[in-house]
Amino acid sequence: MVNKHYPPEFKAEAVALYRSRPGATIASIADDLGVNRETLRSWVRLDDERRGGGARTPRPAVAGGEAASVEQENAELRRRVRELEEERDILRKAARYFAGETRW
């Protein structure tokens, strides 16, 4: 069996694609990308660790001090904006790829 080395950009985009589809499974995304399922699963775990063990969906702010909850909500919103920007960029790249592929 040959070990494949994927560029970091591909890994990040694969994880972002998995996170952008709430109903998708690792198996379905891995099959679509032609990647081993366990490989994609390990990328997702590494990304979770890098993010501080966060889950797929942001957690709601806890009731506490008004300032603390506002700061926490802002942090969650910034994180969500980053995720959405990654997803948008992936879709743009995919659109460019498929637009170039359909030329006769």
Side-chain angles (χ1 to χ4, degrees):
M1 181 176 270
V2 176
N3 286 336
K4 294 183 181 178
H5 296 281
Y6 298 97
E9 299 85 21
F10 179 79
K11 294 176 184 180
E13 289 176 6
V15 171
L17 180 63
Y18 168 68
R19 293 187 190 285
S20 70
R21 296 185 182 169
T25 62
I26 286 181
S28 66
I29 299 296
D31 291 343
D32 289 345
L33 296 174
V35 175
N36 185 302
R37 295 172 183 185
E38 289 304 315
T39 301
L40 180 58
R41 184 172 282 116
S42 69
W43 294 345
V44 171
R45 284 184 190 140
L46 286 172
D47 188 60
D48 286 343
E49 290 172 9
R50 184 183 56 83
R51 292 175 180 224
R56 274 183 81 173
T57 57
R59 291 181 284 262
V62 264
E66 180 100 15
S69 65
V70 169
E71 289 300 318
Q72 186 177 10
E73 183 179 4
N74 283 341
E76 289 175 7
L77 291 172
R78 283 188 204 101
R79 196 171 20 254
R80 182 66 180 143
V81 165
R82 257 185 273 123
E83 287 178 14
L84 291 172
E85 287 173 344
E86 281 182 47
E87 293 169 10
R88 180 201 60 205
D89 293 341
I90 289 169
L91 291 172
R92 283 183 177 168
K93 289 177 184 177
R96 259 184 280 160
Y97 173 79
F98 288 116
E101 186 176 277
T102 58
R103 293 190 182 143
W104 305 78

